[in-house]
Amino acid sequence: MYKRVIYTVTRRNFLQTALAIPLATATALPACATATNYTIPILQPAKMWQILDSVQQVLFPSEPNIPGATEINAINYLRWVMSDPKTPSTVKDFIVQGTNWLEDMAIRTKQQTFTALTLDDQEIILHQISQSTAGEAWLATLLTYIIEALLTDPIYGGNPNGIGWQWLQHTPGYPRPHDNLAYRTLGY
Amino acid sequence: MAIDYDICIIGSGAGGGPVAYSLARAGYSVLILEQGFFPRNQDFYKDEMATALRKIYTPQPQDEPHVIEFPDANSQWKTNLTTKLNWNFWNGNMVGGSSNLMSGFFHRMQPQDFRLLSEYGPIQDANIVDWPISYSDLEPYYTAVESIVGISGTVANTTDPTLRSTANFPLPPTLEHPVTNWLDTACDQLGLVPLKVPRAILSRPTLGRNSCEYSGYCGSFGCSSGAKGSSRVAFILPALATGNCQVRPHSKVQRLHSNTQGKITEVEYIDATGTKQSVTAKIYVIACQAIETCRLLLLSTGPAFPYGLANNQQQVGKNLIFSGGGTGSGKFVYADLSPERAAQLRVMGPFINRALDTWYTISDTKLAPGRHKGGIIEFMLNHPNVVKKADRVKWDSQGKLRWGLELKRHLENTFTTSRSLHFEVFNDWLPNANCQVILDSQTKDRWGTPVARVRIGYHPWDLKVGNFLAQKAQLLLTQLGAKHIHSTITGSPPPNLQAGGCRFGVDPKQSVLNPNCQAHEVDNLYITDGSFMPTGGSVPYTWTIYANALRVAAHIANHISKSSGVPLERPRLHSHAGV
């Protein structure tokens, strides 16, 4: 099964299905969340990366002797993706916007920042946003980059010492790239 | 006015390289203008990031898109940009073109492919014609390619042994995978005779190139050893070695200018610094791959060509073709196999090198009464690109996202418990009125030039033939004991197998080029990529494009020789045969 991910989405689409569930049962929204002039907070970069790190832990958890997001350096790989000129700006913007929206959702429904939630509550929120087209697309995008961190050559920042290749018994080809200079400078 | 070069070639891929090779070696001055960069062998790594996950060998889609018209499920025409469709009709924009990235399955077209209409008869709504040349006209050049490129293989059981003028290939076959024996046995059990597939890959060092290193990463990857017979290593580097050839990479040709007499006067291009440049030559050769060749002609209007260069009969862009067919696979579960066979299945590196051409002509009422053109089935192990395969695992069969431990268990199951044997069906993409190239009236590339608008309609007969062949392939996989066997035959074209759009023929009202691939309407213009092909046969095009380009180069040499009144030596097709 394969789905094409579309990055042009709106907050409304991101939250529409998800909010239908928690808002019906929400008991105490923060004052700021109920104000008519409430706007989504724009996260500071450090906070955004903390949230993305937490999301990656849920999407690709660590297990004994089996690598998870931490072991494959998924967050550092994502930082490289976000700094790479070859990553379309639409994708970069979508990842940032989605993180803002996720944090907004956590505060509205759980009255806490996403990173302070229990793993169970984080999982619940991610399942809720996955019910919307945009939320699913945002999660699919993060999963794509987790899988890239797992299985691309270590020179790109993930898959340290080929830990992902070893887990999935993948034999890399040779010659392997010895730096990412060629990727940066050759061709288009 | 001084003329800069004898020949200016636009595009350095399969159509451009052989022309440069022949004419530079014959002493002519040759200039190649190439849109992309000039890679060296050592620039190619087995790096999925560079090869498949990001676009470094093709233009960025937003900079140089195509507009695609495609039929939806209700046969209504839809239009969208390749940027929106996440589809790419560029293929390897670099010196050597997409031949740098080919798998090197090398097949000659068969004699009946040159007379498709007279051999099999007309098909309603298909613009089938015979070629204006025969197989025997091209055979010497197919043979020349074997030596120049270094084709490996063995002649054992081709459908028609009279196809060849030489006894065998110049190089022995490349190493074969243990699974090849499994295939041979299954074929024998079914009474089939598999074709041992020739490869444009050196099986031993020769021609100044290393032999294959058998990394298992071939198709879609550049070759770091130089064993793969790309246009770059087989033709362009030897052409450069003559001292008579220059390559200008990062040169994007914008248009060809022509005069009131209908002759090309100069080529206008943008160089690596973004500066507009021009160059003149006695003869101009276009070989930009079918879609972009048509686009360049359509962009190059002039006082004698209001509809585009060589297009007064409005044939340019018509009868674009791809390759019909599709893909399929079957899975072998390691736990179901003996330890010995499981170990064989895990081997990385050598090639399967087997195809079935049993149904190149089909006489089976299950398809339809009578004799019909069929095709070939090519077998290969699963492609080694791992990221794209893993990324698909995140979706379940219902289209819902997987993550967490569920995703991890599915990844383990996908990658560690089995391996797949794949097949590709190649059959004719029948030329038809709904497969063509025009200029888009709205979308422009980064230089402000209209982009190609490509209608990709297919003929329903292509699917019938493709499905017939896929069923045969599935029977073989069943005999092999594979599980989860399936195939997909669609009218969705493979963008890397383009041809047609400037078909050659004897009637100037029905074709763009004469039998020598010289434009009917433009004396100093030749086209040598796959655009010339009025029908495509049922095999990958590269060997035919190489051979035809060598054939046309001989005509160009005669053309210049006659024009200048100076007798020139015929290009030495066989003198590079060090194998």
Side-chain angles (χ1 to χ4, degrees), chain B residues 198-270:
Chain B
R199 304 297 290 261
I201 297 171
L202 299 185
S203 54
R204 60 178 169 79
T206 186
L207 299 167
R209 292 152 46 197
N210 293 327
S211 57
C212 183
E213 294 173 342
Y214 300 106
S215 74
Y217 288 68
C218 189
S220 78
F221 289 93
C223 182
S224 54
S225 73
K228 189 188 292 185
S230 67
S231 172
R232 179 179 55 85
V233 299
F235 293 107
I236 290 176
L237 294 182
L240 290 172
T242 66
N244 297 326
C245 179
Q246 290 182 32
V247 177
R248 291 182 192 165
H250 302 294
S251 298
K252 173 67 175 178
V253 172
Q254 298 290 295
R255 60 184 295 160
L256 292 90
H257 292 273
S258 56
N259 59 22
T260 53
Q261 285 76 48
K263 288 196 72 165
I264 299 169
T265 53
E266 65 176 3
V267 175
E268 174 189 326
Y269 68 97
I270 307 292

Side-chain angles (χ1 to χ4, degrees), chain A residues 1-5 58-63 66-68 77 80-81 84 86-87 123 126-127 130-131 136 139-140 143-145 147-148 150-153 155-156 165 167-178 182-183 186-188, chain B residues 35-37 43-47 49-50 53-60 64 84-86 93 213-215 217 224 250 346 348 384 386-387 390-392 394-405 407-409 411-412 415-416 446:
Chain A
M1 188 71 192
Y2 177 74
K3 280 188 176 181
R4 189 164 56 85
V5 172
V58 176
L59 295 180
F60 210 70
S62 299
E63 300 172 85
I66 297 177
Y77 178 82
W80 176 79
V81 168
D84 183 8
K86 293 189 184 303
T87 305
E123 180 90 28
L126 295 186
H127 272 289
S130 75
Q131 303 305 306
E136 182 187 60
L139 290 168
L143 279 165
T144 290
Y145 292 125
I147 288 168
E148 287 189 3
L150 176 72
L151 293 167
T152 53
D153 196 281
I155 63 161
Y156 296 106
W165 292 340
W167 172 44
L168 296 181
Q169 301 173 16
H170 173 71
T171 305
Y174 55 84
R176 281 176 45 197
H178 51 71
Y183 168 80
L186 279 180
Y188 288 86
Chain B
Q35 175 179 358
F37 69 117
D43 292 325
F44 291 122
Y45 302 103
K46 308 308 181 187
D47 181 8
M49 177 70 80
L53 301 180
R54 307 291 188 269
K55 292 176 174 61
I56 77 163
Y57 298 144
T58 59
Q60 298 304 306
E64 300 178 57
K84 300 280 176 60
L85 296 168
N86 196 20
N93 297 90
E213 294 173 342
Y214 300 106
S215 74
Y217 288 68
S224 54
H250 302 294
R346 290 180 191 274
M348 281 285 290
V386 68
V387 176
D391 196 44
R392 286 193 290 270
K394 75 186 181 203
W395 300 106
D396 70 15
S397 59
Q398 307 303 312
K400 290 291 182 187
L401 268 183
R402 290 185 177 118
W403 69 73
L405 297 182
L407 172 64
K408 295 179 79 173
R409 298 295 83 78
L411 286 170
E412 285 170 338
F415 286 94
T416 65
R446 64 184 165 121

Side-chain angles (χ1 to χ4, degrees), chain B residues 8 67 218 395 579:
Chain B
C8 175
V67 176
C218 189
W395 300 106
V579 292

Side-chain angles (χ1 to χ4, degrees), chain B residues 192-492:
Chain B
L192 300 172
V193 181
L195 173 70
K196 297 184 177 180
V197 179
R199 304 297 290 261
I201 297 171
L202 299 185
S203 54
R204 60 178 169 79
T206 186
L207 299 167
R209 292 152 46 197
N210 293 327
S211 57
C212 183
E213 294 173 342
Y214 300 106
S215 74
Y217 288 68
C218 189
S220 78
F221 289 93
C223 182
S224 54
S225 73
K228 189 188 292 185
S230 67
S231 172
R232 179 179 55 85
V233 299
F235 293 107
I236 290 176
L237 294 182
L240 290 172
T242 66
N244 297 326
C245 179
Q246 290 182 32
V247 177
R248 291 182 192 165
H250 302 294
S251 298
K252 173 67 175 178
V253 172
Q254 298 290 295
R255 60 184 295 160
L256 292 90
H257 292 273
S258 56
N259 59 22
T260 53
Q261 285 76 48
K263 288 196 72 165
I264 299 169
T265 53
E266 65 176 3
V267 175
E268 174 189 326
Y269 68 97
I270 307 292
D271 70 12
T273 67
T275 306
K276 185 185 289 188
Q277 303 282 0
S278 65
V279 68
T280 59
K282 294 174 184 169
I283 299 289
Y284 299 86
V285 176
I286 300 179
C288 305
Q289 212 169 41
I291 291 172
E292 288 302 309
T293 287
C294 293
R295 176 190 177 212
L296 181 56
L297 292 174
L298 294 170
L299 287 169
S300 301
T301 54
F305 301 110
Y307 305 109
L309 191 63
N311 193 32
N312 285 341
Q313 298 296 327
Q314 300 193 50
Q315 291 297 307
V316 171
K318 299 271 187 1
N319 297 303
L320 181 73
I321 54 176
F322 296 91
S323 177
T327 62
S329 68
K331 187 181 289 187
F332 297 93
V333 179
Y334 293 125
D336 295 343
L337 304 173
S338 68
E340 182 187 10
R341 280 173 79 86
Q344 289 177 349
L345 184 61
R346 290 180 191 274
V347 168
M348 281 285 290
F351 301 102
I352 293 292
N353 283 355
R354 289 295 183 273
L356 286 171
D357 64 351
T358 310
W359 301 279
Y360 210 78
T361 291
I362 301 172
S363 299
D364 189 330
T365 53
K366 288 179 184 147
L367 176 68
R371 289 176 74 249
H372 304 279
K373 180 64 195 307
I376 68 163
I377 306 158
E378 194 89 49
F379 292 90
M380 69 288 298
L381 285 161
N382 59 300
H383 195 280
N385 274 353
V386 68
V387 176
K388 285 201 163 183
K389 184 176 178 182
D391 196 44
R392 286 193 290 270
V393 176
K394 75 186 181 203
W395 300 106
D396 70 15
S397 59
Q398 307 303 312
K400 290 291 182 187
L401 268 183
R402 290 185 177 118
W403 69 73
L405 297 182
E406 181 192 6
L407 172 64
K408 295 179 79 173
R409 298 295 83 78
H410 275 87
L411 286 170
E412 285 170 338
N413 185 60
T414 300
F415 286 94
T416 65
T417 63
S418 63
R419 193 171 187 191
S420 297
L421 182 65
H422 291 242
F423 63 83
E424 292 183 11
V425 170
F426 294 86
N427 60 275
D428 284 68
W429 179 286
L430 292 177
N432 67 86
N434 281 318
C435 197
Q436 64 172 17
V437 181
I438 61 173
L439 295 180
D440 191 73
S441 59
Q442 296 181 338
T443 308
K444 294 183 168 58
D445 67 11
R446 64 184 165 121
W447 295 281
T449 308
V451 305
R453 184 183 182 96
V454 188
R455 179 171 277 215
I456 54 172
Y458 62 92
H459 195 289
W461 180 254
D462 301 346
L463 302 191
K464 287 193 74 170
V465 175
N467 278 308
F468 179 93
L469 294 167
Q471 291 301 312
K472 299 296 185 186
Q474 291 192 195
L475 283 176
L476 183 59
L477 290 179
T478 301
Q479 183 68 26
L480 277 160
K483 306 257 179 77
H484 305 292
I485 299 168
H486 67 91
S487 60
T488 306
I489 301 296
T490 74
S492 179

Side-chain angles (χ1 to χ4, degrees), chain B residues 70 302 448:
Chain B
F70 56 98

